[in-house]
């Protein structure tokens, strides 16, 4: 017979996971240690091992939490207008961890899931397009995912350009307003896009 987990135990597990997200985000996965994560969480190394067993398993738990957060954002985006929630603020605590995951090479499952979600959105949006796209949804979704993640990876340069920190209220407001403006006002007219597309078609290998 199994017993229900003790709520305090679950709280400790979540606290350790959140500490690992901060610690790995600051130091990187290879330099992070169980002891350092335990110090960040304010617990003993033994308690970290009790809950997660190893640093690898702890990182996997962090990745799973990040994936769940992304899915929650996706559900919120489908339920209310973009101004109704702030994905920058929600992802803020995980930004440095995500940047590490992307730059150190273990974020492939997260990126692939972003592409899968984006592909589904684009397939629905394409139904209302007056002209069919000449690029498949998966390719466009991959490029959009990379563009969406760019402020995370290039946060220092983005902050320098905006003159405000991404984690600050001013920076979040500037970033969201910029994204809304860019997505609602195309940089190319349909005629300019058609001419560029024709140029690409002429240069396409036979």
């Amino acid at each position: 017979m199994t017993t229900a987990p003790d709520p305090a135990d679950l709280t400790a597990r979540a606290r350790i996971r959140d500490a690992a997200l901060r610690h790995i985000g600051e130091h990187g996965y290879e330099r992070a240690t169980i002891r350092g994560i335990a110090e960040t969480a304010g617990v003993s190394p033994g308690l970290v091992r009790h809950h997660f067993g190893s640093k690898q398993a702890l990182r996997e738990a962090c990745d799973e939490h990040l994936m769940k957060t992304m899915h929650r954002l996706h559900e919120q985006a489908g339920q209310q207008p973009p101004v109704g929630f702030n994905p920058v603020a929600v992802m803020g605590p995980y930004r440095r961890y995500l940047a590490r995951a992307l730059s150190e090479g273990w974020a492939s499952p997260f990126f692939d899931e972003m592409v899968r979600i984006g592909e589904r959105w684009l397939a629905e949006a394409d139904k209302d397009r007056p002209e069919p796209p000449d690029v498949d949804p998966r390719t466009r979704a991959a490029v959009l995912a990379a563009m969406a993640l760019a402020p995370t990876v290039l946060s220092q340069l983005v902050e320098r350009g905006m003159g405000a920190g991404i984690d600050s209220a001013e920076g979040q407001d500037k970033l969201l307003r910029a994204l809304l403006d860019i997505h609602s006002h195309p940089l190319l007219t349909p005629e300019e896009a058609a001419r560029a597309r024709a140029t690409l078609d002429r240069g396409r290998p036979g």
Side-chain angles (χ1 to χ4, degrees), residues 18 21-22 25 66 87-98 167:
D18 290 349
L21 284 161
R22 295 194 304 273
L66 206 61
V88 179
V90 175
M91 295 302 292
Y94 315 122
R95 182 167 56 83
R96 296 186 70 177
Y97 178 91
L98 182 55
D167 292 331

Side-chain angles (χ1 to χ4, degrees), residues 14-15 35 38 42 61 77 90-91 98 118 121 126 146 170 178 180 185 189-190:
R15 188 166 73 248
R35 181 172 297 279
V90 175
M91 295 302 292
L98 182 55
W121 275 17
D126 288 347
E170 179 189 4
L180 285 171
H185 295 85
T189 66

Side-chain angles (χ1 to χ4, degrees), residues 11 14 18 36 51-52 55 59 100 113 142 155 166 175 196 200:
T11 301
D18 290 349
H51 281 290
F52 296 97
K55 188 173 75 168
R59 195 192 76 185
R100 288 283 189 179
E113 186 65 7
S155 59
I166 287 179
L175 180 59
L200 288 173

Side-chain angles (χ1 to χ4, degrees), residues 112-196:
D112 291 346
E113 186 65 7
M114 284 189 68
V115 172
R116 188 189 69 79
I117 291 172
E119 186 178 7
R120 192 167 69 242
W121 275 17
L122 286 170
E124 284 296 316
D126 288 347
K127 295 177 182 178
D128 298 324
R129 284 184 59 156
E131 79 291 340
D134 64 350
V135 184
D136 62 277
R138 183 168 182 80
T139 297
R140 286 178 288 145
V143 173
L144 282 172
M147 292 170 64
L149 290 169
T152 294
V153 181
L154 304 175
S155 59
Q156 291 183 334
L157 296 176
V158 173
E159 289 173 338
R160 180 178 177 180
M162 294 194 307
I166 287 179
D167 292 331
S168 69
E170 179 189 4
Q172 290 175 20
D173 184 72
K174 281 188 171 184
L175 180 59
L176 288 174
R177 288 181 183 277
L179 289 171
L180 285 171
D181 185 80
I182 291 168
H183 286 294
S184 61
H185 295 85
L187 299 176
L188 296 177
T189 66
E191 294 75 20
E192 289 170 334
R195 288 196 296 271

Side-chain angles (χ1 to χ4, degrees), residues 51-71:
H51 281 290
F52 296 97
S54 67
K55 188 173 75 168
Q56 173 67 26
L58 178 51
R59 195 192 76 185
E60 290 172 359
C62 291
D63 292 343
E64 181 182 357
H65 181 67
L66 206 61
M67 193 80 79
K68 288 180 179 178
T69 300
M70 179 181 63
H71 279 288

